[in-house]
Amino acid sequence: IQSNSDLMISEHARVEADITADRIVIKGSVTGNVTAVSSIHIFPTGKLTGDITASEVILDSGSFFSGACTMTN
């Protein structure tokens, strides 16, 4: 999945794909690598299994993340 703008995965959504976008908000479940130009925000209901590449990463309490994280400028 590629987007030049913001992308939100809603609370009950399940995505199995690599994602690239400006800002990414995860409230549902994502399996795949995630790359954001700006930021990635995983909410308490969010689950990410895959690698993150972004300049800002926000993991709310209760969220799940399993993978590697690379911070960019």
Side-chain angles (χ1 to χ4, degrees):
I1 300 171
Q2 292 187 337
S3 174
N4 291 326
S5 60
D6 299 348
L7 180 76
M8 183 175 76
I9 307 301
S10 64
E11 186 172 343
H12 299 288
R14 291 177 185 240
V15 175
E16 293 184 18
D18 293 339
I19 299 172
T20 301
D22 182 42
R23 287 188 299 174
I24 300 169
V25 172
I26 299 174
K27 295 182 178 182
S29 176
V30 175
T31 301
N33 298 327
V34 178
T35 302
V37 175
S38 298
S39 65
I40 296 173
H41 186 168
I42 304 177
F43 279 72
T45 56
K47 176 180 179 182
L48 173 61
T49 303
D51 297 341
I52 290 175
T53 303
S55 58
E56 180 180 14
V57 176
I58 303 162
L59 300 172
D60 285 350
S61 178
S63 64
F64 175 86
F65 168 61
S66 177
C69 181
T70 302
M71 303 295 290
T72 59
N73 289 338

